[in-house]
Amino acid sequence: METDTITAISTPSGEGAIAIVRLSGPEAISIVDKLFQGKSLNDVDSHTIHYGKIMDPTTDEVAEEVMVSVMRAPKTFTREDVVEVNCHGGMVAVNRVLEIILSQGARLAEPGEFTKRAFLHGRIDLSQAEAVMDLIRAKTDKAMSVALKQMDGRLSALIQQLRQELLETVAHVEVNIDYPEYDDVEEMSHEMMQKKTKQVRAKIEDLLQVAKQGKILREGIGTAIIGRPNVGKSSLMNTLVQENKAIVTEIPGTTRDIIEEYVNVRGVPLRLVDTAGIRDTEDIVEKIGVERSRQVLKESDLILFVLNYNEALTDEDIKLFEAVQGLEYIVIINKTDLEQKLDLEKVRKLANNRPVVTTSLIEEEGVNELESAIAQSFFEGDIDMGDLTYVSNVRHIQLLKQAAQALDDAMIGLESEMPLDIVQIDVTRSWEFLGEIIGDTASDSLIDQLFSQFCLGK
Ligand code: GDP
Ligand code: ZN
């Protein structure tokens, strides 16, 4: 059990934003009270907020005007005493407050240490802890609700249910072996075990199916705009950015924060990564050939392929059609305000049932249709986000796959009539993999590694 008090700035850095210094631990309240000019924080009720000043003890000057929230254990995120000092003066002021607090005996929190404490104190399980990290990184409302749902424990509940089913199966076999004289316990048959294994396997498969979408929501849809020079790629980019809130995000937890551009199209986060050769590719095929460009294009989740309504199809257009075949793409026929020279029939045929949208970006026509097509190509209409529990974490996906593999092994054993006490070894492995998702069988080093990925102050 931790005994020291940790502190960190818990809001992302940004000009003008309110910044919070958070403390957690037995000394949290007394440390801030020593520095606080205002009410005696030792005496205030739990979960109350107080206006006052943080004094610099070395100079006796006011360091910052603040609002201080006091939250006493155990009804806090970490289940320890928690104090949050809200500073209004931007990053310089908040850093000063942090320094002063550190000088009074609090220790700077390691990345993810607040969440780690919540986990260690049984406040949340591992998948919920990871959801906190996702929440911090969530780019759009939809990604946010996925993270919230997971934090709610829906994934945990599902995993627990699957584990329970596996455990019962294993226990049943154990009983049969250890107490063969118990006539009232039905003998577990190969058929029964097969049925159970199949059921759980199918549920894991369902989770893996939605995992892909969850990952996309969390990370954004890697989007490439391609087409010959002058068709309107840059115009398309500008339109998307102007029509939709463009979000520039810093991803915390990396040594050097990566800046990416996000455009939120009807709740679908397009990630416009500035990767050479992907974004606004003028003549990708010309430069690197069909095969290579296909390789590059494969790395994006969505391709916006722009054609010119005012020009007949060229060889290069045809090559681009070849390069995107089988990938997720939308054809955009731009410049419909000009005279038609493009053979639409031919384009539709080449597009092979992929969506074809016509636009005049200069007259702002067709943009709505384009946005619908983008949203639709990922959600295939309106999916009800409320009904899905998403698995949105690489580690979860990996473990789910391992759990599924272990069940596949079990099923092979069952089909070849292996003894059940051998088959159950695989079933137990699957149970263990699932357990790692919620932290039941996770080793200490795994836990340390996980929490160190979290950004500071959470
Ligand atoms: P890119 O080379 O593919 O990036 O094309 P740009 O976006 O730079 O556009 C090339 C030219 O086409 C610019 O002069 C744009 O103003 C013009 N343009 C873009 N969209 C339209 C459109 O819908 N209609 C017309 N008439 N011109 C357009
Ligand atoms: Zn351009």
Side-chain angles (χ1 to χ4, degrees):
M1 191 77 34
E2 261 80 5
T3 51
D4 62 346
T5 297
I6 53 172
T7 185
I9 296 171
S10 74
T11 32
S13 51
E15 211 57 39
I18 294 177
I20 297 173
V21 180
R22 177 183 290 161
L23 298 89
S24 179
E27 308 287 319
I29 298 172
S30 62
I31 286 174
V32 179
D33 187 59
K34 267 189 279 179
L35 303 162
F36 186 67
Q37 203 176 70
K39 266 194 186 156
S40 166
L41 299 177
N42 287 313
D43 303 328
V44 301
D45 289 337
S46 185
H47 293 77
T48 54
I49 186 158
H50 307 278
Y51 171 79
K53 289 165 182 144
I54 293 288
M55 307 301 289
D56 185 339
T58 54
T59 60
D60 250 350
E61 281 170 10
V62 175
E64 170 75 335
E65 286 187 33
V66 294
M67 302 288 293
V68 174
S69 322
V70 175
M71 290 155 281
R72 295 182 199 279
K75 284 190 172 169
T76 66
F77 180 56
T78 55
R79 287 200 168 157
E80 302 175 326
D81 285 350
V82 170
V83 177
E84 289 184 351
V85 182
N86 298 258
C87 308
H88 298 258
M91 287 317 291
V92 177
V94 77
N95 276 315
R96 181 136 174 250
V97 169
L98 179 65
E99 254 170 58
I100 294 171
I101 287 171
L102 286 170
S103 77
Q104 296 302 304
R107 173 172 64 75
L108 189 64
E110 286 162 28
E113 203 174 356
F114 289 96
T115 313
K116 183 178 177 183
R117 284 190 176 189
F119 169 70
L120 291 173
H121 295 159
R123 170 77 172 68
I124 54 175
D125 75 26
L126 203 50
S127 82
Q128 290 172 307
E130 287 169 299
V132 174
M133 179 162 70
D134 287 345
L135 198 60
I136 295 160
R137 293 180 173 176
K139 310 297 188 307
T140 69
D141 297 346
K142 275 182 183 167
M144 189 80 94
S145 78
V146 170
L148 279 172
K149 203 155 291 157
Q150 195 176 332
M151 211 155 66
D152 255 11
R154 280 182 56 166
L155 175 64
S156 313
L158 224 119
I159 298 284
Q160 244 141 16
Q161 186 199 321
L162 295 181
R163 289 190 90 211
Q164 189 57 33
E165 286 177 35
L166 292 179
L167 195 63
E168 278 166 16
T169 316
V170 171
H172 196 149
V173 175
E174 292 282 342
V175 169
N176 287 162
I177 291 165
D178 293 349
Y179 306 97
E181 67 276 15
Y182 276 24
D183 289 339
D184 48 345
V185 178
E186 189 189 357
E187 178 98 28
M188 170 68 92
S189 66
H190 274 73
E191 288 69 39
M192 278 162 66
M193 192 138 173
Q194 214 151 17
K195 196 172 150 217
K196 262 280 167 257
T197 313
K198 244 185 204 150
Q199 271 171 7
V200 176
R201 178 70 179 81
K203 285 181 192 158
I204 294 177
E205 192 57 41
D206 287 346
L207 281 173
L208 282 170
Q209 282 305 316
V210 289
K212 192 189 161 208
Q213 245 165 349
K215 177 173 174 285
I216 281 167
L217 285 174
R218 200 164 56 93
E219 295 175 1
I221 295 167
T223 305
I225 301 177
I226 65 164
R228 279 186 297 111
N230 224 34
V231 292
K233 295 182 300 295
S234 302
S235 310
L236 176 61
M237 173 78 88
N238 291 337
T239 304
L240 286 175
V241 170
Q242 276 158 22
E243 294 255 321
N244 303 283
K245 193 169 57 175
I247 314 161
V248 178
T249 25
E250 286 175 67
I251 300 180
T254 48
T255 37
R256 199 170 48 81
D257 279 349
I258 303 160
I259 307 282
E260 289 172 321
E261 225 178 324
Y262 281 77
V263 176
N264 187 341
V265 175
R266 305 210 178 149
V268 180
L270 300 190
R271 186 181 77 242
L272 306 167
V273 198
D274 215 345
T275 313
I278 290 277
R279 182 168 141 179
D280 192 3
T281 312
E282 296 289 349
D283 48 5
I284 180 166
V285 175
E286 185 102 317
K287 259 188 231 146
I288 59 180
V290 173
E291 268 316 302
R292 276 280 323 277
S293 50
R294 211 182 133 70
Q295 232 14 69
V296 174
L297 291 174
K298 257 187 181 166
E299 282 158 29
S300 38
D301 301 309
L302 176 66
I303 297 156
L304 303 177
F305 176 14
V306 189
L307 292 168
N308 189 344
Y309 185 76
N310 186 228
E311 283 171 1
L313 276 176
T314 67
D315 282 352
E316 209 186 329
D317 292 327
I318 308 273
K319 277 188 193 151
L320 281 172
F321 267 115
E322 282 169 35
V324 297
Q325 228 32 255
L327 304 178
E328 194 89 25
Y329 67 95
I330 295 172
V331 177
I332 296 148
I333 300 174
N334 186 39
K335 305 200 185 187
T336 52
D337 55 292
L338 302 177
E339 188 197 334
Q340 176 175 359
K341 292 183 183 161
L342 191 69
D343 182 347
L344 294 192
E345 264 322 295
K346 203 165 169 195
V347 169
R348 289 228 162 73
K349 221 174 255 164
L350 284 164
N352 213 355
N353 287 329
R354 293 296 310 162
V356 178
V357 181
T358 53
T359 61
S360 166
L361 292 171
I362 255 185
E363 304 198 327
E364 293 173 21
E365 304 257 342
V367 178
N368 260 328
E369 288 75 1
L370 172 59
E371 291 184 356
S372 298
I374 290 172
Q376 228 160 44
S377 84
F378 271 84
F379 295 128
E380 275 142 6
D382 258 356
I383 63 161
D384 182 3
M385 305 299 291
D387 286 347
L388 294 169
T389 298
Y390 284 103
V391 187
S392 58
N393 179 298
V394 180
R395 194 184 68 89
H396 295 166
I397 294 169
Q398 202 49 44
L399 286 166
L400 282 172
K401 282 185 182 159
Q402 283 171 302
Q405 183 58 52
L407 290 184
D408 287 344
D409 293 346
M411 288 203 279
I412 291 171
L414 286 166
E415 265 155 40
S416 51
E417 298 284 321
M418 258 198 236
L420 292 184
D421 57 328
I422 303 288
V423 173
Q424 68 147 308
I425 295 173
D426 287 324
V427 178
T428 307
R429 267 176 52 229
S430 182
W431 176 81
E432 281 170 354
F433 285 129
L434 293 176
E436 278 188 46
I437 296 176
I438 51 177
D440 247 19
T441 47
S443 66
D444 284 355
S445 71
L446 170 70
I447 291 166
D448 285 343
Q449 199 194 331
L450 271 170
F451 285 105
S452 69
Q453 288 172 22
F454 285 54
C455 67
L456 208 65
K458 293 295 183 303

